[in-house]
Amino acid sequence: MKDWKNQLKMNIKNHKTKLLKKKAVNLIPAFTQLLSKNPNRFDYNVWPTYYIRAKGVFITDNDNNKFLDMSIASIGSVLTEYADKDIDGAVIKSIQNGVSSSLINVNEVKLAEKLCKMHKWSDQIRFCKSGGEAMSIAVRIARASSGKDKVLFSGYHGWHDWYMSANLKNNNNLNNHLFNNINPLGVPKVLKNTAIPFRFYDNKQLINLIKKYKNKIAAIIVEPIRNDEPNKIALENIYKIAKKNNIILIFDEISSGFRICNGGSHLKLKVNPDIAVFGKGLGNGYPIAAILGRKEIMKICDKIFISSTNWMEATGYTAALSTIKKFEKRKLYKKLIANGKKVKKIWLDVAKKYNVKINTYGIDPLAKFDFKYSKTKNLIAKKILISTMIENKILASNIYYAMSAHTDNHFKKFSKALELAFLRISKKIN
Ligand SMILES: Cc1ncc(COP(=O)(O)O)c(C=O)c1O
């Protein structure tokens, strides 16, 4: 077997990409706008990084290499496929009719009506463009409506001050929710102790925090599902704790929404929050996010100031209406679940065949695995995996965010390349 690095050099052109990366390093601090698309998250030297075309489940990079994408599906913001004809068709029409004007686009009200009808417990809704921004709005609404300042949360909910303030007290506070030891530089120190993390499903810890901060808590924020198997009972208990203590319950459905049913995952789990927040997949890649909630809470928006010019552009509303229509018509969440299950099975089967130690986790449409060796060996294994897949013209790492357009042919190609990757990993590591 030839060395995997040499093979890579032979197969993939990357001259233009290298130049662009050199420019980006100087021009754009932190390299790009989303941490999860920084090539460092994969392998800086081999990850293709820039695309010029994305269509179906294929991406053409800046050096004209065409890859099958079995990776992060635009970090979970694309549910069907890239350049989806139906959704793009609707958006192109709306572009031709003007994406912006001095009046409000009709699709804002149509989308409001549609989402509230799908989530029958909700009465009112606000819109913006991205997930973290939407969570910031939800927290503002909860604080304004309750007259209280503190929020208890579990999981990742965006980059904004309210969330990052959790690390003012201790740089470790976000370790199990985002990543280790982030310095909250730039976040006003007066926000210390206003956002307090708790371990998901650790309801004992949650109750203790509520006792400690009696009558000071505006909201409890969780993702209904993510890395663990759905746990209806634990979620019901969080609901009961919130109700008993008169605390607003916020479900962050930015990543979980539309993956296991049409709409929020809480519909499937049959536990309703006071506010639910959507982003990512809602627009199948177009920018749109939604904060929906009960009227008695949402009506505070009449008295406070939450307002922005670009929230009004029409493509996001149109894309969301078109995405929901397609999703409902074809029950596409079933395909996302099935595809996630298939990839998990391929990972496990191939790992077993080559005696590579891994464990899989995450709900099926947001599937992940970890190598189970030392930290150094895990990094080597991940590098070999990514490079071998790229050599075979596939974008893949240890995360698979499902797209409904993946077919058995794609899984076959993926499985064949994974065999080579895991064989190499086994030879190098075992
Ligand atoms: C659960 C959850 N909340 C919030 C966010 C932030 O969304 P955005 O990146 O659109 O700001 C993310 C993004 O990964 C997320 O997964």
Side-chain angles (χ1 to χ4, degrees):
M1 185 180 67
K2 283 178 194 157
D3 176 64
W4 53 273
K5 277 186 185 163
N6 288 335
Q7 287 215 350
L8 189 73
K9 273 185 203 150
M10 278 157 48
N11 277 353
I12 310 287
K13 292 171 285 167
N14 65 358
H15 178 68
K16 282 189 186 169
T17 300
K18 262 187 179 165
L19 283 178
L20 216 55
K21 285 201 287 195
K22 231 182 186 173
K23 285 185 187 175
V25 165
N26 286 321
L27 285 169
I28 305 170
F31 195 82
T32 189
Q33 320 315 315
L34 179 74
L35 177 77
S36 302
K37 288 190 185 174
N38 188 313
N40 276 329
R41 301 283 288 177
F42 302 91
D43 182 332
Y44 186 84
N45 291 319
V46 300
W47 191 249
T49 308
Y50 294 104
Y51 82 98
I52 51 171
R53 198 175 313 114
K55 186 132 186 66
V57 290
F58 289 90
I59 300 179
T60 305
D61 78 0
N62 195 36
D63 286 277
N64 237 0
N65 304 297
K66 190 174 172 184
F67 297 95
L68 166 64
D69 187 14
M70 299 293 295
S71 64
I72 55 175
S74 190
I75 201 70
S77 64
V78 173
L79 298 170
T80 63
E81 60 185 297
Y82 301 128
D84 184 303
K85 262 195 201 145
D86 302 319
I87 299 163
D88 284 0
V91 169
I92 287 165
K93 254 192 209 160
S94 91
I95 291 171
Q96 285 163 346
N97 287 325
V99 292
S100 196
S101 88
S102 300
L103 302 184
I104 302 166
N105 190 274
V106 292
N107 282 344
E108 179 180 326
V109 184
K110 286 186 186 167
L111 183 61
E113 195 173 38
K114 181 71 201 166
L115 282 169
C116 285
K117 243 188 207 160
M118 289 174 85
H119 303 85
K120 294 203 176 1
W121 56 268
S122 72
D123 314 292
Q124 295 194 323
I125 189 160
R126 288 293 307 253
F127 295 107
C128 60
K129 288 298 171 197
S130 62
E133 181 186 40
M135 285 306 299
S136 244
I137 293 170
V139 168
R140 171 78 69 81
I141 291 171
R143 282 175 168 161
S145 172
S146 65
K148 297 168 189 170
D149 283 347
K150 293 191 192 298
V151 293
L152 306 181
F153 70 89
S154 183
Y156 172 61
H157 303 290
W159 63 273
H160 299 72
D161 282 0
W162 78 264
Y163 181 75
M164 295 306 302
S165 72
N167 266 19
L168 287 168
K169 189 170 178 194
N170 184 335
N171 265 7
N172 302 331
N173 259 354
L174 289 171
N175 281 16
N176 294 318
H177 304 266
L178 181 50
F179 49 85
N180 288 355
N181 307 326
I182 318 164
N183 193 332
L185 280 176
V187 178
K189 292 181 185 61
V190 288
L191 292 180
K192 189 171 159 181
N193 236 4
T194 54
I196 300 133
F198 68 95
R199 287 179 297 276
F200 191 38
Y201 291 160
D202 185 344
N203 291 348
K204 218 169 155 186
Q205 189 194 17
L206 180 60
I207 290 167
N208 283 338
L209 285 169
I210 291 171
K211 272 187 196 152
K212 185 171 174 188
Y213 300 113
K214 206 168 165 42
N215 295 328
K216 290 185 178 153
I217 299 164
I220 296 171
I221 302 168
V222 294
E223 284 183 273
I225 46 165
R226 181 69 182 251
N227 287 332
D228 308 289
E229 285 303 304
N231 186 337
K232 183 173 158 54
I233 293 171
L235 202 62
E236 270 170 357
N237 285 336
I238 294 177
Y239 172 87
K240 283 178 197 159
I241 292 166
K243 285 298 112 187
K244 189 174 163 203
N245 292 282
N246 197 21
I247 298 172
I248 293 167
L249 180 60
I250 301 177
F251 283 171
D252 179 342
E253 293 270 16
I254 289 161
S255 281
S256 55
F258 291 89
R259 308 239 177 223
I260 61 164
C261 60
N262 287 326
S265 63
H266 64 272
L267 295 178
K268 173 101 179 170
L269 295 164
K270 296 194 168 48
V271 183
N272 294 333
D274 299 303
I275 293 175
V277 179
F278 293 83
K280 295 213 180 194
L282 179 61
N284 210 56
Y286 289 96
I288 183 76
I291 306 101
L292 57 155
R294 301 182 194 277
K295 190 172 184 174
E296 65 266 25
I297 296 165
M298 296 297 288
K299 68 181 182 199
I300 196 71
C301 292
D302 288 334
K303 293 192 185 155
I304 59 178
F305 187 66
I306 299 174
S307 165
S308 179
T309 304
N310 278 346
W311 290 346
M312 306 305 287
E313 71 81 41
T315 63
Y317 297 104
T318 309
L321 280 166
S322 181
T323 304
I324 294 170
K325 189 172 161 196
K326 188 163 188 174
F327 235 68
E328 281 188 327
K329 196 168 161 200
R330 305 204 191 159
K331 291 198 169 63
L332 286 178
Y333 66 90
K334 289 191 178 173
K335 195 80 187 349
L336 298 183
I337 294 170
N339 285 354
K341 272 195 203 317
K342 281 180 192 169
V343 167
K344 275 184 183 168
K345 184 169 175 350
I346 292 169
W347 283 337
L348 288 170
D349 287 351
V350 176
K352 194 171 170 200
K353 184 168 172 185
Y354 295 100
N355 191 24
V356 173
K357 288 185 204 131
I358 64 165
N359 78 312
T360 61
Y361 56 101
I363 56 167
D364 294 327
L366 302 173
K368 292 179 186 169
F369 77 84
D370 285 336
F371 290 105
K372 301 299 288 176
Y373 299 93
S374 65
K375 208 171 163 187
T376 317
K377 281 187 172 181
N378 289 347
L379 281 175
I380 294 169
K382 193 172 167 187
K383 262 180 184 282
I384 297 174
L385 168 67
I386 289 169
S387 306
T388 307
M389 299 309 271
I390 285 174
E391 179 190 321
N392 284 279
K393 299 282 173 75
I394 299 173
L395 297 177
S397 71
N398 60 328
I399 301 177
Y400 169 70
Y401 284 0
M403 288 195 272
S404 65
H406 280 132
T407 64
D408 283 343
N409 272 343
H410 303 131
F411 294 126
K412 230 186 248 170
K413 188 171 178 227
F414 172 71
S415 176
K416 201 171 158 207
L418 197 75
E419 293 236 5
L420 180 58
F422 276 26
L423 170 68
R424 288 173 177 174
I425 291 167
S426 181
K427 283 193 173 175
K428 180 88 185 168
I429 281 184
N430 286 328

